[in-house]
Amino acid sequence: MSTALDTDVRPEDRFISAFEVNHGQALNGTNASIAQQREDAIERFSALGIPTNSLEAWKYTDISKIIDRPYALPLAPEVPSVDPSDIAPFTIDDMDAHRVVLVNGRVDPSLSDLGDLPSGVVVSSLTQAGDAHPDIVEAHYGQYADFEDEALTALNTAFVQDGAFVYVPSGTVVEKPIFFLHVTAGQEDLFLQPRHLFVVEDGAIARIVEAQHSLTDAHTFTNTVTETFVGERANLEHYLVQDEGPNASQVHTRAGQQKDDSVYSTNTVTFSGEVVRNNANIEADGSFCESNLYGLCIGKEDMHVDNHTQMNHVQPDCNSNELYKHVLNDESTAVFNGKVLVTRGSQRIDAYQQNDTIVLTHDANIYTKPELEIYADDVVCSHGATTGQVDEEGVFYLRSRGLSERRARILMLQAFCDEVLSEYKIDALRNHITEKIRQRFANYFS
Amino acid sequence: MALLEIENLHVGVEGEDIHILKGVDLTLDTGDLHAIMGPNGSGKSTLASVIAGREEYEVLDGEIRYDGDDLLELEPEERAEEGIFLAFQYPVELPGVSMTNFLKEAVNAVREARGQDELSSAEFLQQMRERADMMGLDADLTKRSVNEGFSGGEKKRNEIFQLAMLEPRLAILDETDSGLDIDALKNVADGVNKLRDEDRGFLVITHYERILQYIVPDRIHVMMDGKVVRSGDKDLAQQLEEHGYEWIREEAAAAAA
Ligand SMILES: Nc1ncnc2c1ncn2[C@@H]1O[C@H](COP(=O)(O)OP(=O)(O)OP(=O)(O)O)[C@@H](O)[C@H]1O
Ligand SMILES: [Mg+2]
C-alpha cells in the first residue's frame, strides 16, 4: 500500500493528511509509547513546518522545492524485488562483514548474509527487534533524536515503520564489520523514512558500515533518522558511504549518545546526490569520552551537500575531533556547519574542528561556519577553515620530477583526501573508498 | 659540447613589475660541474627555477638552450623527461603523497621518455633500497609521505636520493649542502661524484666553499643583483670564503662606471 501525496496542497498538509488517512492502520504501532510519540511528532511537524532558507540552520540548503514533488509514500511492507546482481556493484566483497541489505528501508533477508554473530548480538530489522526485544527498543528508541526543533526528525518519528537494528551486549566484541547496504528501487518517485537504532552496550566494540545506493532513476527523497547509543567504555566506529546518484535527495540525521570512557567515531563520505543534508549530532553524556566526526565530500555536477554537525559536551574531561574535507568540481556546492556546545561545568574539554575545501571551478561553492557555544572556562576549543585550489608549489614539485600536470594535480587531490581516509580503520573499506575517489579523479583536468 | 647555454637572460615575476635576473650569461659543457655562489637575493634560485620551468617567472628577454634546443618552450615535466633535475632549496612537504608511489611514477615517466622499459615493482624497490643506502637516507623515510615531517637534513638527502633515482643529465643543486651534517655532506658529495660522467652536467648553488672541497667544480660563477659578475676556477671559492663579496661588488661597480 502506498499513499500518493497530493501536490495541490502545501507539502506539510500532504504529510499531515497522509498521516490521518492511515491513522490506525499501517501506522499503528505495537507499542503504546511509540504510538504516542507519533502523535506528538506529527503535531510538532505541523507546528514547525518544512524548514526554509529563512532558518539560520537551513540558510544554504533549500529542501522545500525538492520535498514538493509528487512522491509516493510507501506505508506497507511491499518492496520491489531486487536481484542479487542488481546490488553486486555495491557489496564491497573484499570487506568480510555481516551484511544486511535494506530495500527502500526494509530488510531483505534474501539478499542479506549475516554469517555467524557473536552470542547475544542482534542484527535485524527494527520491527523484528520491537517484537523480539521490546525492552531494548523501548529503552533507547526516541531517546536521542530530538524532534522538538527538527521538523524532519518529527516527520520521520511520525511515520516510523522500519529500518535497521543492532544490539551488542555488554563486553561483546563484534570483530567483523556490520554492513548495512541501503538501496532504493522501484519505478515511482518515492519518499522514504527509514529509522535505525544501534545500541552498543558497556564495554562492547563494534563497527557499523552503511552504504546508500540507488537502483532507480526515479526521484527519491530519503528522510533517515539513526539513533546510536554507545555505553561506558564501549567503542563504535560508524561509517556512511553516500552515493545514490543525481536524482536522490536526503536528509540524514544521526543522533548518538555516549557514556563514560567511550569512543564514538563517525565517518561520512558523499559521492553523489541531488541535495544531501547530513545532521550528525553527538552528545558526550559521560566523562572521558572521545568523539570523532570525519567527513569527505567529492562534489560533482550540481550536487549540493550540507554537513551539519552538533557536538554537545555536557560532561567534563572529554575530547572531540572534527575534520571535514571537500573537493568540489563543476557547479557543486558544499556547506559545513560545525556546532560545538560546552555546557557550564563541563571543564577540561578539548574540542578540535577543521574544515578544508578545494574548489576546482569558479562555479563550485563552499559555505563554512563554525559555531562555538562555550559556557565553561577551562576548555580548549580550536577551529579552522581553509578554502583554496590545489597547492601549486606541490604541483610544480611533482612536475619537476616528471609527472604530467594532470597526474600531479590528481595526486595532490588524492593526498588532500588522505587525511580523512586514514581514519578508516577497516582496510577493505578504505581501499574501496580510495579506489572510488581515484576513479572519480581519473577524468579530472583532462 | 654545450649542455646548457644561457644568454642574456632577463626574468621577472609573472604579472608583476619585478625584474630579478638582468642579463645572465652562462654556458655549461657536458662533463662539467659549475658552482654558482653569490649573496642572498642575488637570483640564484630564480635562475634554477627558470631552468626547471617554474611558471611564476616570466622570461623577459634572452634564451636558454639545452642540448642546442630551446628549453623555454618545454613544460616542467618535459624538462624532467629530457633529463633536467632541480634539487629544491626548500623541498615541499606533500602530506598524503606516498614517496614510493610518486617516485615510481616519476622514474617510469622519465624512463619511458628515454625509451627504457618500465621498472617492475621489485626492480624499483630494489633500486630504491640501493640508492637510499648510497645517499644515507633512512629507508623508512621512503615509506612515508613526501618530505612530511622530515628534518631539514632529511629533506636535502631526499632530494639527492631522488636525483640518484632519476639519473638526470643536468642536475641543479640549490643549496643542497645547507643544513647537512658532515656525514650527510660526504654522502651528497659521494653521490654527485658517482654520477659525474662525460655526458652529464651539474650546477651546484652554494654559499659554502666546504662542499666544493668534496665536489671540485670546473668553474665558479658569482651572481650579484641578477647577473653573473665574475667567473673563475675553484680558487675563487677560497677567495670568497676569506674576503666575502664586497671586493667583487666594488670591482663590478667600477667596471660598470
Ligand atoms: N615570486 C617572486 N615574487 C617576488 N619576488 C621574488 C620572487 N622570487 C624571487 N623574488 C626576489 O628575487 C630576488 C632573488 O631571489 P632568489 O631566491 O633567486 O635569490 P637567491 O640568490 O637564491 O638567494 P638565497 O641565497 O637567499 O637563496 C629576491 O630579492 C627575491 O625576493
Ligand atoms: Mg636561493
Side-chain angles (χ1 to χ4, degrees), chain A residues 233-300:
Chain A
R233 301 176 316 283
N235 187 316
L236 176 61
E237 287 169 34
H238 192 173
Y239 302 92
L240 175 61
V241 183
Q242 302 182 306
D243 192 7
E244 291 192 304
N247 295 331
S249 291
Q250 61 169 313
V251 175
H252 190 104
T253 301
R254 188 161 36 177
Q257 193 183 72
Q258 296 180 243
K259 296 299 182 190
D260 292 347
D261 302 293
S262 63
V263 180
Y264 182 35
S265 306
T266 70
N267 207 328
T268 304
V269 57
T270 310
F271 286 100
S272 64
E274 185 177 5
V275 173
V276 176
R277 164 65 175 253
N278 295 317
N279 298 312
N281 308 333
I282 298 182
E283 180 165 280
D285 185 26
S287 302
F288 301 101
C289 290
E290 177 185 323
S291 316
N292 301 305
L293 289 148
Y294 302 113
L296 199 53
C297 166
I298 313 295
K300 65 167 177 181

Side-chain angles (χ1 to χ4, degrees), chain B residues 40-41 43-46 89-90 174-175 205 207:
Chain B
N40 294 124
K44 304 181 297 296
S45 293
T46 303
Q89 182 175 5
Y90 305 108
D174 192 354
E175 299 199 23
I205 298 171
H207 284 288

Side-chain angles (χ1 to χ4, degrees), chain A residues 216-434:
Chain A
T216 169
D217 289 330
H219 284 101
T220 58
F221 192 113
T222 305
N223 177 32
T224 304
V225 173
T226 306
E227 293 182 284
T228 51
F229 173 80
V230 187
E232 290 179 18
R233 301 176 316 283
N235 187 316
L236 176 61
E237 287 169 34
H238 192 173
Y239 302 92
L240 175 61
V241 183
Q242 302 182 306
D243 192 7
E244 291 192 304
N247 295 331
S249 291
Q250 61 169 313
V251 175
H252 190 104
T253 301
R254 188 161 36 177
Q257 193 183 72
Q258 296 180 243
K259 296 299 182 190
D260 292 347
D261 302 293
S262 63
V263 180
Y264 182 35
S265 306
T266 70
N267 207 328
T268 304
V269 57
T270 310
F271 286 100
S272 64
E274 185 177 5
V275 173
V276 176
R277 164 65 175 253
N278 295 317
N279 298 312
N281 308 333
I282 298 182
E283 180 165 280
D285 185 26
S287 302
F288 301 101
C289 290
E290 177 185 323
S291 316
N292 301 305
L293 289 148
Y294 302 113
L296 199 53
C297 166
I298 313 295
K300 65 167 177 181
E301 294 154 11
D302 58 356
M303 66 190 262
H304 179 110
V305 177
D306 179 349
N307 280 295
H308 259 63
T309 64
Q310 166 108 38
M311 182 67 234
N312 289 347
H313 286 288
V314 300
Q315 296 288 337
D317 299 300
C318 293
N319 70 69
S320 58
N321 304 296
E322 214 168 323
L323 176 66
Y324 276 75
K325 288 194 161 195
H326 310 126
V327 178
L328 304 179
N329 202 8
D330 306 325
E331 301 95 54
S332 59
T333 299
V335 182
F336 175 76
N337 186 294
K339 248 190 216 172
V340 177
L341 167 71
V342 181
T343 59
R344 265 189 75 194
S346 300
Q347 301 295 8
R348 297 171 302 280
I349 297 298
D350 200 335
Y352 167 86
Q353 182 184 99
Q354 182 69 34
N355 171 225
D356 298 314
T357 304
I358 289 183
V359 177
L360 295 170
T361 67
H362 286 297
D363 298 321
N365 287 303
I366 165 74
Y367 303 96
T368 178
K369 188 172 129 199
E371 257 184 273
L372 309 181
E373 259 186 81
I374 295 163
Y375 301 103
D377 48 25
D378 185 7
V379 162
V380 181
C381 277
S382 64
H383 65 89
T386 64
T387 300
Q389 277 85 42
V390 178
D391 174 28
E392 290 300 328
E393 199 52 33
V395 171
F396 176 64
Y397 186 84
L398 296 174
R399 293 177 75 189
S400 80
R401 304 289 140 102
L403 271 62
S404 70
E405 181 176 359
R406 224 183 115 250
R407 282 298 301 155
R409 289 187 187 280
I410 289 172
L411 272 193
M412 293 297 289
L413 286 187
Q414 285 170 343
F416 176 79
C417 298
D418 189 72
E419 199 183 351
V420 174
L421 290 171
S422 67
E423 299 296 342
Y424 281 78
K425 306 301 180 203
I426 303 168
D427 290 346
L429 181 62
R430 186 180 51 252
N431 294 342
H432 174 78
I433 303 297
T434 305

Side-chain angles (χ1 to χ4, degrees), chain B residues 113-128:
Chain B
R114 292 177 193 158
Q116 295 168 314
D117 286 342
E118 253 190 34
L119 287 183
S120 71
S121 287
E123 288 166 329
F124 172 77
L125 289 173
Q126 165 77 11
Q127 200 178 93
M128 201 161 81

